[in-house]
Amino acid sequence: MSKDNPGFSTLAVHAGAQPDPTTKARITPIYQTTAYVFDSSDHAAALFGLQQFGNIYTRIMNPTQAVLEERVAALEGGTAALATASGHAAQLLIFHTIMRPGDNFIAARRLYGGSINQFGNAFKSFDWHVRWMDTSDPGSMEALIDEKTKGVFVESLANPGGTFVDIAAIADIAHKHGLPLIVDNTMASPYLIRPIEHGADIIVHSLTKFMGGHGNSMGGVLVDGGTFDWTKSGKYPMLSEPRPEYGGVVLHQAFGNFAFAIAARVLGLRDFGPTIAPLNSFLLLTGIETLPLRMQRHCENAMTVAKWLKTHPKVSWVNYSGLADDPNHALQQKYSPKGAGAVFTFGVKGGYESGKTFVEALKLFSHLANIGDTRSLVIHPASTTHRQLTPEQQIAAGAGPDVVRLSVGIEDVSDIIADLEQALEQA
Ligand SMILES: *Cc1c(COP(=O)(O)O)cnc(C)c1O
């Protein structure tokens, strides 16, 4: 580590923060305020006209949130970030910035169930259309692209199947067609993968999961990679054409390599309003300080548990890319050599009923719809997170009827295994 190029763990603790200049408070305060005093009418006018940066109103920005944004941008290696009330809100703002009615985008078929729902159902109301691709065959996406395609969306490590995707191969094809690659990095976190280094242009997170890490706050963030030319094709008018509400400013011209983050804030967040609460920004910032330590332990524990499950007579299969014989192992080694994450699936012999009994018999594991908590978590995706999908979609998303999903926590691994053992005995 050097002063100019701090290491990841140093950034996780310090990026974006400094002692409060007024009070000398060492920790970033919770700026629990809705609005900010202007120095003068001219100052107010300059802020409203985007000629000067500064706080106006907490729907659009907040100082606690700003530290969170700087920290995540630093961890992902992006130029700027925008934090939001949830991961889904960040996805909405990303697509609002690139899509016009009638447009389409390409998304991986293997995604978090909520994202499949948002893209396939809610986005239809905006006349935005998703085209599903099979990420195990990146070349197959070329046939889905037409003149109304505006972007490509994948998860770096897909939820719930725990599958790594070939980000660089997908980025190359997207860029060949003049499209930005958007990567949901929730399951891996930038500790394991920094997708911008592999060609991604925009990163999105549910901060609710590993980034916050303690299961106590909702939050989302988008990170601008600063890599994409929003003007070249003329397909992204929000960024490349004059904005009447800001005195005719062209955002890409005015803000260069962080124009996307600005557009998502001043056109998306401003008008839709999914603002993150200052308290949540504070809790998420605190969580991020220990991200590297937690991810190390999460990955170690998950590997030990996966190996143990693999030898258990009541387990029919284990899908963990950290295992040497897993079909996804080569991609894991390429993209995420530090570990294969903490979320994976396996099958309990006896199918749906045994799976259900098993989940209900667990004591240390909490049965709930979340991942990335310090606590070990379990869910049966087919009856919960992926319930709204058709059986075919469930299987395509890695959430078939016999699938149990674990999010392995940071407890003592011997206790985690003891709990799994007693529950498997009952299944
Ligand atoms: C949870 C999750 C989301 C949605 O985030 P929320 O904070 O729940 O809105 C998106 N993508 C992935 C991979 C997730 O796990």
Side-chain angles (χ1 to χ4, degrees):
M1 187 213 116
S2 75
K3 202 161 154 261
D4 299 328
N5 190 19
F8 189 87
S9 297
T10 306
L11 291 173
V13 176
H14 292 284
Q18 50 218 327
D20 182 69
T22 311
T23 62
K24 314 295 177 192
R26 183 64 190 86
I27 304 306
T28 301
I30 304 164
Y31 286 96
Q32 191 67 35
T33 182
T34 49
Y36 309 85
V37 178
F38 303 122
D39 297 338
S40 65
S41 306
D42 286 346
H43 176 226
L47 293 180
F48 273 93
L50 294 183
Q51 282 115 17
Q52 202 178 321
F53 285 114
N55 297 313
I56 300 176
Y57 186 58
T58 286
R59 169 150 41 77
I60 310 167
M61 73 279 274
N62 170 276
T64 316
Q65 174 188 346
V67 177
L68 174 63
E69 289 164 346
E70 248 191 82
R71 187 159 307 168
V72 178
L75 293 178
E76 286 288 5
T79 53
L82 172 64
T84 54
S86 68
H88 269 14
Q91 290 174 188
L92 168 65
L93 299 188
I94 288 169
F95 284 102
H96 176 255
T97 308
I98 62 174
M99 303 285 281
R100 313 306 311 149
D103 285 347
N104 66 70
F105 64 99
I106 293 167
R109 203 170 257 124
R110 272 181 182 273
L111 286 187
Y112 171 66
S115 299
I116 295 176
N117 221 25
Q118 183 187 51
F119 297 171
N121 297 328
F123 280 5
K124 274 193 202 143
S125 331
F126 300 124
D127 202 13
W128 303 341
H129 303 278
V130 61
R131 297 179 172 186
W132 303 111
M133 79 175 275
D134 176 4
T135 41
S136 64
D137 178 10
S140 67
M141 83 191 233
E142 299 218 88
L144 302 172
I145 297 172
D146 64 21
E147 73 287 352
K148 295 220 163 227
T149 306
K150 294 297 178 71
V152 179
F153 184 102
V154 301
E155 291 177 2
S156 52
L157 173 55
N159 180 351
T163 317
F164 288 90
V165 307
D166 194 345
I167 301 171
I170 294 168
D172 283 349
I173 299 171
H175 294 158
K176 187 176 123 196
H177 292 272
L179 302 172
L181 175 62
I182 304 149
V183 175
D184 181 338
N185 202 27
T186 300
M187 289 255 292
S189 91
Y191 173 75
L192 291 180
I193 309 180
R194 294 172 21 119
I196 294 168
E197 292 170 356
H198 302 289
D201 301 291
I202 306 290
I203 306 299
V204 62
H205 275 278
S206 170
L207 296 174
T208 317
K209 315 291 173 53
F210 291 99
M211 293 287 266
H214 295 73
N216 60 22
S217 318
M218 299 295 299
V221 72
L222 63 88
V223 180
D224 190 339
T227 44
F228 194 77
D229 185 340
W230 301 104
T231 302
K232 198 170 157 196
S233 67
K235 282 166 84 171
Y236 304 97
M238 296 272 264
L239 288 135
S240 66
E241 286 177 15
R243 295 306 309 182
E245 69 269 65
Y246 289 117
V249 69
V250 173
L251 292 175
H252 191 204
Q253 244 168 41
F255 299 105
N257 70 358
F258 57 99
F260 186 89
I262 295 279
R265 185 188 304 277
V266 304
L267 304 176
L269 183 64
R270 181 199 65 175
D271 291 356
F272 288 117
T275 306
I276 188 165
L279 174 62
N280 284 20
S281 291
F282 175 85
L283 290 166
L284 294 166
L285 260 177
T286 306
I288 287 172
E289 293 184 7
T290 57
L291 175 73
L293 294 172
R294 285 184 290 105
M295 289 309 290
Q296 278 166 24
R297 176 66 82 91
H298 276 298
C299 291
E300 268 169 38
N301 281 359
M303 181 66 120
T304 307
V305 169
K307 282 184 177 157
W308 180 83
L309 283 171
K310 188 112 188 180
T311 62
H312 198 284
K314 287 200 178 166
V315 172
S316 45
W317 52 268
V318 178
N319 195 344
Y320 187 60
S321 62
L323 299 171
D325 61 349
D326 190 89
N328 205 230
H329 188 63
L331 277 180
Q332 184 260 317
Q333 290 290 303
K334 175 175 177 196
Y335 284 101
S336 185
K338 281 188 283 192
V343 179
F344 68 91
T345 52
F346 70 98
V348 180
K349 280 185 187 157
Y352 190 92
E353 282 310 315
S354 299
K356 223 177 96 186
T357 315
F358 166 73
V359 166
E360 284 168 4
L362 286 164
K363 294 184 180 124
L364 182 64
F365 277 80
S366 305
H367 180 201
L368 53 73
N370 194 19
I371 56 169
D373 195 329
T374 49
R375 275 150 281 270
S376 288
L377 312 174
V378 65
I379 204 162
H380 182 227
S383 62
T384 53
T385 50
H386 288 63
R387 183 190 184 84
Q388 70 276 22
L389 308 181
T390 65
E392 295 73 37
Q393 284 177 316
Q394 284 179 346
I395 288 165
D402 60 329
V403 177
V404 171
R405 183 188 76 192
L406 301 183
S407 175
V408 178
I410 63 172
E411 302 98 332
D412 287 289
V413 74
S414 52
D415 292 326
I416 297 173
I417 287 178
D419 193 35
L420 294 166
E421 186 157 37
Q422 64 81 21
L424 278 169
E425 259 161 43
Q426 297 181 50

